[in-house]
Amino acid sequence: MLSTVLAAGAASGIDLGRILLELALILCTAKVVAEFAERVGVPAVLGEILAGVVIGPSLLGLVEPSDSLFLLGELGAILLLMQVGMEIDVGELRNVGRSALTVAIIGVTLPLTIGSFTGLALGESGNTALFIGATLTATSVGITARVFGDLRALSTKEARIVLGAAVADDVLGLIILTIVTRIVEEGTIGIGTIATTSLTAFSFLAVASAVGFTAVPRLIGYVAKKAASPAAVSVFAVGIALAYSGVADAAKLAPIIGAFVAGAALGKAPAHERIARDVSAVAALFVPVFFLQIGIETDVASMVRPSVLAIAAALIAVAVVTKVVAGWGAGRNGGDKLLVGLGMMPRGEVGLIFATIGMGVGVFDDDLHAALVLVVLATTVISPAALRWRINSKGPAEVDLDVDADSEPDGGWLRVESGRIALAANPPTSAAPNVLLSAALLAREHKPSDELLDWIAERRTRDLVWNRDATTRLLEVLRGGTPRSWRLLEIAGLFERTIPEIANAIKERASDVSELDPTNILRFPTVETLREATAVATSQSDTLLLAAFLADVDAGTDTTASILQRLDVDLLIAGEVEDLLNGARILRAAVEHEPHRVDDKMLRDIAHGLRRPGIVERSRLLADAIGGLEPWQHAAMIDITIGVQSLLAHPELLEGVDDSLADMRRRQAKSLTDDPALVDRITHSPTTYVLAHEPAMLLEHARLIEPAPHGRKVRVTVQPTALAGQWMINVACRNRRGLLSRLSGALADAGHSVVSASLATWPDDSVLDTFVVTARRIAGEPPRIAIDNSIHPWHSVLRVGGPDRIGLLAAISYALSEIGVVVHHAVVQTRDGLVDDNFEISDRVGRKVPEHAADRVIRILKKLSDETQI
């Protein structure tokens, strides 16, 4: 088949092989250059144009202008305008406000008028001068929005005016382009021509919009309901956009006008989000071709000619001054008018499209086209720097914003009035996280009021403090939020000022030049997939949603720990979230390659790694929700989960079996010594203890405890840790009732606080206790204590969390001794003054301990606290 196509191409004079190689070079170059440009803070479009200049005839000559390249570039422009149309909320045109609409009208009228007169003054024909003016009307709000966002100024009054004006500016500019293009192709600028052309343009827009907004959503809805393939909807959508572009061209209008109208209609379709995602993937291939084509067709030699530079300088002056003057249309209550004007200044990709169309219809020669490309490049580079200068020079005064703060009303800080989220009172800055998260939930169906946005803007540079109430509200947003919710939080800069790790992750998404759909940046697909599975809010669903959120922000191990710490979640919850993320990674790694075979060794290793049945099943849900699995991988993961659950339900299947993770670690430790007594001691070490220590440490402990201490003999080693002020104490002795309580009590009496501890017992009644201690004294509220019988297959797990204090471990150990339980293993650790202790316990005959036994421990601790003030 391919050979037939190649033969047909050769017969028609088309060098298909060269076209394919050029396309490969263009796509790869565009991607590499765009990535580099984003990393150095330059708009990707500029990098792509410069890349086109480099590989084009002006420098390396690797790619020549051709009809096929022109066709691919036009397709890229059509897809780009289709996306612009989908992103515009037509209803928003009625809500941009008088200030924004005035700025848009002035920002189109002044460049068109003054630009046209400047073209005549430069000696150009009437048609050419008119097209110059039309080209200067363009505004690329994407660059402005990026700068406002980087400086946490999206919620300011000026940013709202600029973004609102951009909506009207896009529509007005495209209407003008439509009319001007038709006039130029008619060849004359008489009153009759202008009237006829305007009538044709408006008739096309009226009819196309009427048909589009009524028929297109219904057609797409029907296709989405009936089609067997999910991709059918997006294919039909692109087909509609191409058809609209073709009709526009037949009407002697620019094809991109049809694409824009089609995109606006598709934005109202039921499956518009799916269409936007799929079109973004296709556009990522063709849009860069359009921008590289501009660079390829640009004659660099003409750019540096004095005449071209003089034309460019004159047009740059017009482009800058007219848009800056438009800022004064914001009126008395429009804030910083200069900032508004600077925000309207960049031309970006829209200006390039206008210039390319002008060259295509023959009104621009190479020199004029090169001058206009310089205008676009200059305004696109100058605008971000000018905006940063103006915003920073007008930084908010350091005043007390909370001098008039109110107390929180009974109904909360927020209320909804006429579909707008308004403030019920004036909250203090300290309440900002909770107010913003509550507003994010309301933003699902309502828009923030100007009053709320002003309150946010006033505090955009102030530090905020996260608390547990904010974490509770964040979980509510995870359960019910939409991209609108996350957009509000992004505009407010909440995460940048509280949890920068999350803000950085979202920013990395935004820098992905292949992602052209802005709604995807603010989506968390793993969270959304899990919502149905966790429709009822429980503590387990909360930890699962939190783990899914961290998976979506692509947090590494260190970042995850940092985020959980900033969220101020309970140490037990933090540990469970980390276990779920680790479990999902283990399960996905287990089904990575095909053919897949589930063997006993794999199941035993996973069972040792995940440990708890509840973690296993929820890890599978998380791993599945992350997505990207083939059907065979999904089935294999279910088989693995069932096998691991069976092993954890029958612990005897895990004991005494070779080749488990613990056995591998034992063999490594035993390989470090030839002493048979030490080898035997390592062989009979408890499995949980072995999994918690490295082989070298296992050997060091074996030397301490071997031979087994007799009677009351105790062996102790003390050595400093890597942290100043901390020591590790290893104690080897015979087991006896209340041993842990006595040891920890002795440390407390000596004024030491236990940072971490582990305990292990051997069949011969030998015990090894390891403590990491410090001289810190910490006071606080009573600890939280719970017994969980679902974590361990054959032991109960007593969990202790809360503020650390001297003697806490001794008191807990005493309480456990008093209620008659046996401690088989203990892991005690303190982080930032908070304890996270886990004790594997059973009764005297090895059975699990009932959960109500935790109440007895709490009563004993309270009694001890009353008596000794521990």
Side-chain angles (χ1 to χ4, degrees):
M1 181 66 183
L2 180 60
S3 59
T4 304
V5 174
L6 292 172
S12 61
I14 297 175
D15 188 349
L16 185 59
R18 179 174 179 81
I19 292 174
L20 294 175
L21 290 174
E22 288 181 349
L23 182 59
L25 177 62
I26 288 171
L27 292 177
C28 294
T29 303
K31 183 63 177 176
V32 171
V33 173
E35 287 281 353
F36 175 76
E38 287 288 344
R39 292 179 187 275
V40 298
V42 176
V45 61
L46 297 185
E48 290 167 349
I49 293 173
L50 294 177
V53 171
V54 172
I55 66 175
S58 295
L59 291 179
L60 299 181
L62 300 177
V63 179
E64 298 286 339
S66 63
D67 291 340
S68 56
L69 181 62
F70 173 79
L71 177 61
L72 294 175
E74 283 295 297
L75 184 57
I78 288 171
L79 290 172
L80 178 61
L81 265 294
M82 177 185 175
Q83 288 181 298
V84 172
M86 291 189 70
E87 293 170 11
I88 281 187
D89 185 354
V90 178
E92 192 69 22
L93 287 174
R94 297 189 296 268
N95 302 320
V96 295
R98 180 180 300 175
S99 296
L101 187 59
T102 303
V103 170
I105 293 173
I106 297 175
V108 169
T109 305
L110 276 182
L112 177 64
T113 305
I114 299 179
S116 298
F117 280 113
T118 302
L120 292 173
L122 292 172
E124 302 293 344
S125 66
N127 285 348
T128 301
L130 186 61
F131 221 102
I132 290 173
T135 301
L136 296 181
T137 63
T139 291
S140 175
V141 75
I143 296 169
T144 299
R146 179 75 174 270
V147 176
F148 276 128
D150 289 343
L151 297 176
R152 303 178 188 168
L154 276 172
S155 59
T156 60
K157 184 177 297 183
E158 294 85 356
R160 301 201 301 272
I161 291 174
V162 170
L163 297 179
V167 177
D169 189 285
D170 281 336
V171 176
L172 292 173
L174 287 172
I175 290 174
I176 289 173
L177 176 66
T178 302
I179 296 172
V180 170
T181 302
R182 182 67 183 269
I183 290 174
V184 167
E185 291 183 340
E186 290 289 333
T188 59
I189 311 182
I191 295 178
T193 303
I194 294 176
T196 303
T197 300
S198 300
L199 180 62
T200 303
F202 280 108
S203 298
F204 171 81
L205 290 172
V207 173
S209 299
V211 173
F213 287 112
T214 55
V216 169
R218 294 179 182 177
L219 176 61
I220 292 297
Y222 178 81
V223 173
K225 185 182 297 184
K226 298 294 184 180
S229 170
V233 175
S234 301
V235 172
F236 267 87
V238 174
I240 290 170
L242 293 176
Y244 263 67
S245 301
V247 173
D249 185 66
K252 306 299 182 182
L253 305 175
I256 61 170
I257 303 299
F260 176 82
V261 175
L266 289 167
K268 298 294 184 181
H272 67 277
E273 294 180 355
R274 170 60 191 260
I275 295 171
R277 287 195 295 269
D278 290 348
V279 170
S280 294
V282 179
L285 293 174
F286 292 103
V287 172
V289 176
F290 171 73
F291 293 122
L292 262 80
Q293 176 200 352
I294 293 173
I296 291 169
E297 294 180 349
T298 299
D299 184 1
V300 176
S302 65
M303 277 187 170
V304 297
R305 283 200 289 267
S307 59
V308 173
L309 292 176
I311 295 173
L315 296 180
I316 288 172
V318 173
V320 172
V321 171
T322 53
K323 290 293 187 179
V324 170
V325 171
W328 265 256
R332 185 178 305 172
N333 299 319
D336 186 349
K337 299 175 182 60
L338 177 57
L339 181 59
V340 172
L342 293 174
M344 298 292 292
M345 194 167 63
R347 266 52 177 191
E349 65 279 359
V350 183
L352 291 172
I353 290 176
F354 281 30
T356 302
I357 291 175
M359 193 170 185
V361 297
V363 296
F364 293 160
D365 57 20
D366 289 342
D367 286 358
L368 196 51
H369 179 260
L372 286 169
V373 170
L374 284 175
V375 172
V376 173
L377 294 177
T379 57
T380 304
V381 171
I382 293 171
S383 298
L387 283 169
R388 286 189 171 88
W389 162 76
R390 187 60 181 174
I391 292 174
N392 291 330
S393 67
K394 298 287 288 185
E398 292 298 324
V399 297
D400 186 1
L401 295 174
D402 297 334
V403 66
D404 296 324
D406 301 321
S407 299
E408 183 174 5
D410 294 337
W413 290 114
L414 302 173
R415 66 175 184 269
V416 177
E417 294 179 347
S418 303
R420 296 278 177 170
I421 308 169
L423 290 171
N426 182 29
T429 303
S430 59
N434 293 333
V435 172
L436 293 173
L437 290 163
S438 298
L441 280 173
L442 294 173
R444 293 174 297 184
E445 301 175 356
H446 309 288
K447 294 182 178 181
S449 65
D450 289 343
E451 176 193 23
L452 175 60
L453 291 174
D454 288 341
W455 183 85
I456 294 171
E458 289 171 353
R459 289 156 177 79
R460 63 185 174 85
T461 61
R462 302 300 169 91
D463 293 331
L464 302 179
V465 179
W466 193 274
N467 53 46
R468 290 198 176 186
D469 287 341
T471 299
T472 301
R473 284 181 169 83
L474 175 62
L475 288 169
E476 293 174 359
V477 175
L478 290 175
R479 282 194 289 268
T482 66
R484 291 168 58 95
S485 305
W486 297 103
R487 176 62 172 166
L488 178 60
L489 297 177
E490 181 193 35
I491 289 173
L494 173 62
F495 293 126
E496 289 181 351
R497 290 178 283 167
T498 54
I499 311 176
E501 294 86 352
I502 294 178
N504 292 337
I506 294 176
K507 190 173 294 185
E508 286 181 9
R509 286 190 187 185
S511 65
D512 182 2
V513 294
S514 66
E515 183 55 83
L516 300 180
D517 181 7
T519 61
N520 284 350
I521 297 169
L522 300 174
R523 284 193 174 279
F524 299 93
T526 309
V527 172
E528 293 175 3
T529 302
L530 283 174
R531 278 180 182 172
E532 293 184 4
T534 56
V536 179
T538 64
S539 59
Q540 290 193 342
S541 69
D542 285 347
T543 55
L544 188 56
L545 278 177
L546 206 50
F549 178 59
L550 293 175
D552 279 330
V553 301
D554 197 21
T557 303
D558 293 339
T559 305
T560 295
S562 178
I563 292 175
L564 290 172
Q565 185 174 359
R566 292 182 187 274
L567 287 174
D568 194 26
V569 297
D570 186 280
L571 285 176
L572 301 181
I573 294 177
E576 192 165 292
V577 170
E578 291 175 330
D579 287 345
L580 288 172
L581 288 168
N582 182 55
R585 283 191 288 266
I586 290 174
L587 291 175
R588 289 179 69 88
V591 297
E592 184 176 359
H593 300 294
E594 189 179 16
H596 184 269
R597 183 173 61 87
V598 179
D599 56 46
D600 292 340
K601 180 181 180 301
M602 174 191 290
L603 294 179
R604 288 195 303 274
D605 287 347
I606 294 175
H608 280 297
L610 301 186
R611 301 187 306 279
R612 290 179 278 165
I615 290 293
V616 176
E617 176 57 22
R618 285 184 290 150
S619 294
R620 184 194 67 77
L621 288 173
L622 178 60
D624 197 38
I626 291 173
L629 296 178
E630 298 292 335
W632 70 266
Q633 292 175 307
H634 176 76
M637 194 180 296
I638 292 177
D639 291 341
I640 291 173
T641 302
I642 294 173
V644 171
Q645 295 280 35
S646 298
L647 284 176
L648 293 177
H650 300 282
E652 65 275 7
L653 298 176
L654 290 172
E655 291 297 319
V657 182
D658 291 336
D659 293 324
S660 69
L661 183 62
D663 289 324
M664 294 171 61
R665 189 160 290 180
R666 285 190 182 96
R667 284 199 300 272
Q668 291 172 342
K670 289 187 289 188
S671 68
L672 301 176
T673 181
D674 296 326
D675 189 330
L678 297 180
V679 169
D680 185 68
R681 178 65 63 183
I682 296 171
T683 300
H684 293 92
S685 298
T687 298
T688 311
Y689 159 78
V690 171
L691 292 171
H693 294 84
E694 294 298 321
M697 185 62 70
L698 295 177
L699 177 60
E700 183 178 334
H701 289 171
R703 286 172 174 157
L704 179 64
I705 203 171
E706 184 63 37
H710 295 287
R712 295 181 175 273
K713 187 175 182 180
V714 177
R715 300 192 190 107
V716 179
T717 62
V718 179
Q719 59 191 74
T721 67
L723 297 178
Q726 285 190 357
W727 295 268
M728 177 183 290
I729 302 174
N730 295 305
V731 181
C733 60
R734 284 286 181 178
N735 195 10
R736 67 196 68 178
R737 182 177 178 180
L739 175 62
L740 183 60
S741 174
R742 295 181 185 183
L743 292 174
S744 53
L747 293 171
D749 291 341
H752 297 297
S753 176
V754 177
V755 177
S756 65
S758 65
L759 175 150
T761 59
W762 273 259
D764 64 355
D765 229 16
S766 299
V767 176
L768 177 70
D769 293 279
T770 300
F771 302 89
V772 174
V773 301
T774 180
R776 279 187 311 159
R777 291 183 175 270
I778 304 171
E781 62 188 33
R784 296 177 297 279
I785 297 177
I787 291 178
D788 193 336
N789 284 318
S790 67
I791 298 175
H792 198 281
W794 57 95
H795 294 154
S796 299
V797 174
L798 177 81
R799 289 183 155 188
V800 182
D804 190 17
R805 69 192 65 184
I806 298 299
L808 177 60
L809 179 59
I812 294 172
S813 303
Y814 172 79
L816 294 177
S817 176
E818 282 295 300
I819 66 173
V821 302
V822 177
V823 179
H824 298 276
H825 183 255
V827 176
V828 178
Q829 54 186 342
T830 303
R831 184 173 61 188
D832 296 330
L834 299 175
V835 300
D836 181 15
D837 300 347
N838 290 270
F839 301 84
E840 291 181 16
I841 60 176
S842 71
D843 62 15
R844 295 294 183 186
V845 295
R847 295 174 303 192
K848 290 190 176 184
V849 177
E851 294 181 5
H852 61 75
D855 297 333
R856 297 176 60 192
V857 175
I858 293 172
R859 285 196 297 270
I860 294 172
L861 288 179
K862 186 177 186 304
K863 180 180 178 182
L864 288 173
S865 178
D866 293 340
E867 293 176 353
T868 63
Q869 296 298 311
I870 290 177

